[in-house]
Amino acid sequence: MPEIQWNDDLTACAELVERGDPARFRTTMAAPPAARLALFPLWAFNIEVSRAPWVTQEPMIAEMRLQWWRDALEEIRKGQGIRRHEVVTPLSERLTPGGAALLDALVEARRWDIWKEPFEDEAHFRSYLDATSGHLLRAGAGMLGGALPAELAADAGFVLGLAGWFRAIPALEAAGHMPLPDGRETAVAALTAEALDRARALRARRKALPSQLAPLFYGLPEAVAVLKLARKTPARVQTGALEIAPLEQRLGLLKASLGRW
């Protein structure tokens, strides 16, 4: 990883993440300083893209906002004509061409957020989770100088993505979306059980992970805590009662930073 050179763009990215994704801000601040150079632009990108469908009631304007990010990623992929922007610029300094293609697929998946059509089926839902969560991890691994094994990336994307999605469900439903292909409590319980099984499998393989990629997984303890609440009482997902106590957050993050995520 290049010598650390903090600048105003990275400060802007960090401030954006602090405001828009406090959980990832905490995990990134617990990461080694060099890793923050990659992670803050990546998470800032994710915030900007995830917001794009929600800042306007006009679907075509939302489509244009997402296309702006696709165009920026294409510039990064080609390595030429890269626009000056407080998120795009630091992102371009570490994102690989392959990572740009992954993030382009993430942006494409986010087009679902613009409209209020339900997921076609469970396969569509799982594909959405993998594109919006798994691809973020895969691209992040490249920015940190490594690569995630396919199965590990898929499991982590599902676990982290599902926990985040469960937390977003009240807001999604309030906006008129149908966020799950099957919203019955039995279906929620089944998804949760699968995610917790996959989290256990992830933890069993953590020692095989290159050390520089570990910060991508610092959010796993909090995600598991959210999923355990959902497993105990699936109705919490619909009501939004999935907040984790600050002390539990800090302890989980401390363990993760010590390699026990």
Side-chain angles (χ1 to χ4, degrees):
M1 191 170 290
E3 182 182 350
I4 297 173
Q5 294 183 343
W6 197 264
N7 55 41
D8 289 344
D9 287 339
L10 288 166
T11 297
C13 288
E15 290 174 348
L16 177 58
V17 177
E18 185 176 18
R19 293 190 305 270
D21 194 342
R24 282 197 170 115
F25 180 80
R26 291 192 297 271
T27 62
T28 305
M29 289 304 295
R36 298 173 200 167
L37 295 172
L39 294 178
F40 275 132
L42 180 66
W43 304 146
F45 160 84
N46 189 54
I47 290 169
E48 294 280 38
V49 169
S50 63
R51 282 179 178 172
W54 301 94
V55 295
T56 176
Q57 296 295 317
E58 295 294 333
M60 293 309 298
I61 295 177
E63 292 271 14
M64 291 170 62
R65 287 177 177 271
L66 289 180
Q67 186 60 48
W68 189 94
W69 286 100
R70 296 193 72 181
D71 292 343
L73 289 168
E74 179 64 9
E75 293 162 4
I76 294 174
R77 189 188 67 79
K78 291 180 176 178
Q80 59 186 28
I82 299 171
R83 63 196 65 190
R84 175 74 185 90
H85 183 269
E86 64 183 15
V87 175
V88 175
T89 300
L91 186 70
S92 71
E93 292 170 355
R94 291 160 186 85
L95 186 64
T96 66
L102 288 166
L103 294 185
D104 180 71
L106 182 156
V107 178
E108 173 63 19
R110 283 289 183 186
R111 293 182 63 239
W112 180 88
D113 299 355
I114 297 173
W115 310 96
K116 295 184 179 179
E117 298 297 322
F119 288 108
E120 297 170 7
D121 49 29
E122 186 165 332
H124 181 200
F125 172 66
R126 289 172 178 270
S127 174
Y128 175 92
L129 277 188
D130 190 61
T132 56
S133 179
H135 282 0
L136 199 63
L137 298 175
R138 296 179 183 101
M143 294 174 72
L144 291 171
L148 288 175
E151 185 177 2
L152 194 151
D155 284 348
F158 187 78
V159 173
L160 293 167
L162 187 66
W165 193 248
F166 278 173
R167 282 178 149 176
I169 279 179
L172 289 164
E173 290 185 337
H177 283 280
M178 297 178 64
L180 292 170
D182 185 344
R184 292 175 298 175
E185 290 187 13
T186 53
V188 169
L191 282 171
T192 303
E194 178 186 346
L196 289 170
D197 284 344
R198 294 175 79 166
R200 283 188 287 271
L202 275 170
R203 286 171 161 169
R205 301 195 300 273
R206 66 188 171 201
K207 292 183 179 179
L209 186 74
S211 60
Q212 76 266 29
L213 303 187
L216 292 170
F217 297 87
Y218 284 3
L220 193 66
E222 185 168 336
V224 168
V226 167
L227 293 166
K228 286 181 176 178
L229 286 176
R231 178 182 64 184
K232 183 178 181 181
T233 311
R236 284 176 175 266
V237 172
Q238 188 172 23
T239 62
L242 293 173
E243 289 306 310
I244 306 303
L247 178 59
E248 186 175 359
Q249 290 176 356
R250 290 194 292 271
L251 289 175
L253 184 52
L254 176 62
K255 290 180 179 178
S257 66
L258 294 173
R260 298 168 56 196
W261 48 264

